[in-house]
Amino acid sequence: MAVDLTVNIGAWQLANPIMTASGTFGYGEEFSDFVELDKLGAIVVKGISVEPRSGNPPPRVVETACGMLNAIGLENKGLAHFIDQKIPMLAQTGAAVVANILGDQVADYGEISGALDEQEVIRAIEVNISCPNVKKGGVAFGTQPAMAAKVTRAVRRATSKPVIVKLSPNVTDITEIARAVAHEGADGLSLINTLLGMAIDARSRRPKLANVVGGLSGPAIKPVALRMVYQVAQATDLPIIGIGGISTASDVVEFLIAGASAVQVGTANFINPGVSGQLVDELRNFLEQEGLDSVRELTGSLIT
Amino acid sequence: MPKTQIIEIASILANDEVAPATWRMVLSSPEIAGLAQPGQFVMVDLGGLDPLLRRPFSIHRCQDGGSLSLLYKVVGHGTGQMAALEPGRTLSLLGPLGHGFEIKGKSHILVGGGLGTAPLLMLAETMACLGKDQNITTLLGGRTAGEILVSEEFAPFGQVKKATDDGSLGHHGLVTSLLNDLSGPDQQVYSCGPEPMLRAVARICREKGWPCQVSLESHMACGMGACLGCAVEHASLTEKKYAHVCKDGPVFEAGAIWL
């Protein structure tokens, strides 16, 4: 019998738990030479704001030990461009698409979710309240439980689609935020976004990023991400999408064991643009080797 | 649709020091070499956690039989690891990537500074293949003689002039003064090197009314337009707008970047 890779987030059933993380996979089309997009559980597109954003000045990325810092600043062409140019292209691919949305004010989140509600190709909304690289909005909504709740409520009211809230690790107690958004009707949680970090050039004494600080991603953050997924899984009943330094099938399984129902692959897409598709096959092999019938058996199966 | 970019596991055919701390690696990469245009680049994966990300290298030369060469300087531990690789070892290449040089007209001036010479050799070879009527002048500059790279390999294509800051080889001064001394109608200028040099080249070309293409470098994570890390400000008086070196470039019309 073939192993069952399907997982659920609210009423939405994904073909498998492998997704791509927002901001690391463009709009999918950039990767179509390397991955069959409809083979993935879902692709999460680059964050969408109401109006276009030009992003931060360069340099925007720098490598650090086993990871990278970025301060892109949510560069994107805005909601109208996404609907006019990207949605028709995405519909052609047959991929399950999650729209990652962001805003400067609560109303922006409601506006974007409302505008996307009738778009069939969009299977779920991922609410970005955790970008560390912009001055207002973004992480401000993600670090205060009351603000996180307010944004979630606005999205919940504006859309009939599953609502996933992407959580920031740059907080004292991530479970507090998780509970606040769960209470407002979120269908799932994705975590973690990048960890706020910094790199300095010793000779010039200058920061390596023009924005001075940026978000750390890659294998360096995996232990932190696993810990937070584990903590949030203990604190809420919502399905969790684990993110942070995933590049192998073992990484995927570890996040599932910690309590995740699905995962997102991020920085690894930059190194191997075909990795997400390969992980679907490798996860299936792992389950067969372990004699498991369903990937759902792994979720929260940590033995302590 | 045919693939325009691929991952190829390329075997190292040769890897030699051609100038102080500067190496040339020749790889067997028939698929990428078959698609590559002058000015495009590849992302090289050394396969470990340190360095984690691929690194961009402009394509130095593609030859019959599917070989692809990279010219690189050992500046950190990633390039240090590359220099230690023996023939027979393999590397993962992602490419060909980016928007390369557009060959226009018949009178070409190539201006290279230091390692910026790398993509100009493939450009000169490609121009020479267009016919005997191509007029190619190559200007190479560096701080010192050791930074004038592979100059003898440009000789078959036309005149080669050199300049060094310390006077140890060729003209004592900047390569841009060699450019300034040239004249003639309908010249096309193609340049790669440090940004201050490129800006000076662009300024001289603007004064002379010559079209000028410049190849820029940038930190980048993916090389294929997804991370948006390699932003470069677009010339604009009215709004802040960024282009991306990996996809819109690395080769730009100088006027599109600098006013």
Side-chain angles (χ1 to χ4, degrees):
Chain A
M1 200 180 80
V3 295
D4 180 4
L5 287 178
T6 62
V7 296
N8 297 291
I9 294 168
W12 175 36
Q13 185 178 72
L14 290 77
N16 64 67
I18 309 296
M19 307 168 69
T20 58
S22 181
T24 68
F25 205 67
Y27 298 93
E29 58 186 331
E30 296 86 342
F31 287 75
S32 56
D33 279 349
F34 304 99
V35 190
E36 294 163 55
L37 300 176
D38 58 355
K39 178 181 180 178
L40 303 176
I43 64 173
V44 186
V45 297
K46 175 77 185 162
I48 305 154
S49 50
V50 175
E51 297 297 332
R53 288 186 186 227
S54 55
N56 289 327
R60 293 176 170 186
V61 292
V62 61
E63 182 165 327
T64 57
C66 296
M68 64 175 280
L69 285 167
N70 86 78
I72 307 301
L74 301 173
E75 175 181 342
N76 80 100
K77 291 187 173 155
L79 177 61
H81 181 267
F82 179 72
I83 291 174
D84 294 344
Q85 304 292 321
K86 298 303 180 185
I87 292 230
M89 174 276 299
L90 288 164
Q92 295 280 318
T93 67
V97 180
V98 176
N100 180 288
I101 67 166
L102 56 105
D104 291 334
Q105 49 206 350
V106 175
D108 293 348
Y109 288 90
E111 182 177 343
I112 304 169
S113 327
L116 295 176
D117 196 42
E118 61 194 31
Q119 301 293 341
E120 251 173 72
V121 65
I122 305 297
R123 305 300 299 272
I125 303 288
E126 182 178 66
V127 186
N128 183 355
I129 54 167
S130 48
C131 180
N133 294 326
V134 288
K135 299 271 182 291
K136 54 181 179 174
V139 77
F141 294 130
T143 53
Q144 299 160 18
M147 287 304 292
K150 216 168 160 182
V151 173
T152 308
R153 195 181 314 145
V155 176
R156 178 74 289 162
R157 281 183 185 160
T159 184
S160 54
K161 297 182 191 292
V163 175
I164 299 158
V165 181
K166 187 167 181 177
L167 302 184
S168 171
N170 304 310
V171 295
T172 310
D173 181 3
I174 195 169
T175 64
E176 205 184 1
I177 313 279
R179 284 195 204 93
V181 303
H183 187 71
E184 293 297 337
D187 297 285
L189 303 168
S190 52
L191 60 138
I192 58 177
N193 205 322
T194 55
L195 280 157
L196 197 56
M198 181 170 176
I200 297 172
D201 184 281
R203 300 246 174 233
S204 68
R205 303 190 189 183
R206 292 179 186 279
K208 289 189 177 178
L209 295 174
N211 193 53
V212 185
V213 298
L216 181 64
S217 64
I221 72 167
K222 190 184 129 190
V224 178
L226 273 176
R227 183 265 295 179
M228 289 190 158
V229 165
Y230 176 69
Q231 286 181 320
V232 171
Q234 306 297 306
T236 79
D237 293 328
L238 286 185
I240 294 167
I241 302 164
I243 322 166
I246 293 171
S247 67
T248 67
S250 176
D251 294 333
V252 173
V253 170
E254 290 166 40
F255 273 89
L256 300 178
I257 293 170
S261 296
V263 297
Q264 290 177 7
V265 183
T267 301
N269 292 313
F270 298 151
I271 301 152
N272 175 3
V275 67
S276 54
Q278 291 160 13
L279 285 177
V280 175
D281 298 329
E282 289 171 22
L283 178 62
R284 185 182 291 112
N285 291 342
F286 180 93
L287 293 169
E288 283 168 358
Q289 285 164 14
E290 294 290 313
L292 296 170
D293 297 325
S294 163
V295 70
R296 297 187 299 277
E297 291 172 43
L298 287 169
T299 296
S301 63
L302 186 75
I303 299 166
T304 51
Chain B
M1 235 170 60
K3 292 184 177 184
T4 57
Q5 48 195 14
I6 45 180
I7 291 175
E8 190 166 30
I9 305 302
S11 171
I12 298 170
L13 303 172
N15 191 19
D16 301 303
E17 192 167 12
V18 295
T22 304
W23 292 63
R24 176 151 58 187
M25 183 183 278
V26 185
L27 300 120
S28 172
S29 186
E31 289 191 71
I32 294 176
L35 292 169
Q37 299 295 317
Q40 289 191 296
F41 66 101
V42 291
M43 295 289 282
V44 175
D45 182 9
L46 293 171
L49 283 176
D50 184 20
L52 176 70
L53 300 170
R54 289 175 184 264
R55 290 286 187 279
F57 293 91
S58 58
I59 299 171
H60 175 49
R61 152 184 268 179
C62 290
Q63 285 172 303
D64 291 346
S67 83
L68 182 151
S69 304
L70 307 175
L71 190 67
Y72 64 99
K73 194 161 190 163
V74 175
V75 290
H77 57 272
T79 42
Q81 285 174 34
M82 279 174 69
L85 292 172
E86 302 277 349
R89 294 282 300 274
T90 57
L91 285 177
S92 164
L93 304 184
L94 166 62
L97 300 168
H99 170 86
F101 289 106
E102 287 176 28
I103 300 173
K104 297 173 185 169
K106 290 184 173 162
S107 275
H108 314 290
I109 303 170
L110 280 50
V111 187
L115 206 60
T117 303
L120 300 183
L121 187 60
M122 181 174 177
L123 179 63
E125 289 176 337
T126 308
M127 287 168 170
C129 287
L130 296 176
K132 288 201 173 9
D133 57 344
Q134 302 288 316
N135 189 338
I136 304 169
T137 302
T138 306
L139 311 178
L140 299 178
R143 280 172 295 191
T144 185
E147 289 188 357
I148 303 292
L149 303 173
V150 300
S151 60
E152 66 287 352
E153 295 182 37
F154 287 90
F157 309 117
Q159 199 178 19
V160 182
K161 295 182 178 180
K162 302 159 203 169
T164 50
D165 296 4
D166 65 359
S168 56
L169 185 64
H171 169 73
H172 188 169
L174 298 173
V175 69
T176 44
S177 63
L178 297 177
L179 178 66
N180 217 4
D181 291 344
L182 296 178
S183 58
D186 304 325
Q187 303 286 338
Q188 299 277 336
V189 176
Y190 311 80
S191 189
C192 184
E195 189 176 312
M197 183 202 93
L198 294 179
R199 285 180 180 270
V201 167
R203 195 189 58 244
I204 292 166
C205 290
R206 200 163 50 235
E207 287 162 8
K208 290 179 181 280
W210 294 342
C212 174
Q213 298 173 46
V214 293
S215 178
L216 304 184
E217 53 172 10
S218 169
H219 285 287
M220 57 181 71
C222 71
M224 41 197 278
C227 74
L228 307 183
C230 57
V232 55
E233 208 168 326
H234 238 295
S236 170
L237 291 170
T238 50
E239 53 173 347
K240 205 167 189 63
K241 226 179 144 186
Y242 295 108
H244 300 100
V245 171
C246 73
K247 201 100 187 172
D248 305 315
V251 178
F252 294 90
E253 294 287 343
I257 299 295
W258 300 310
L259 291 171

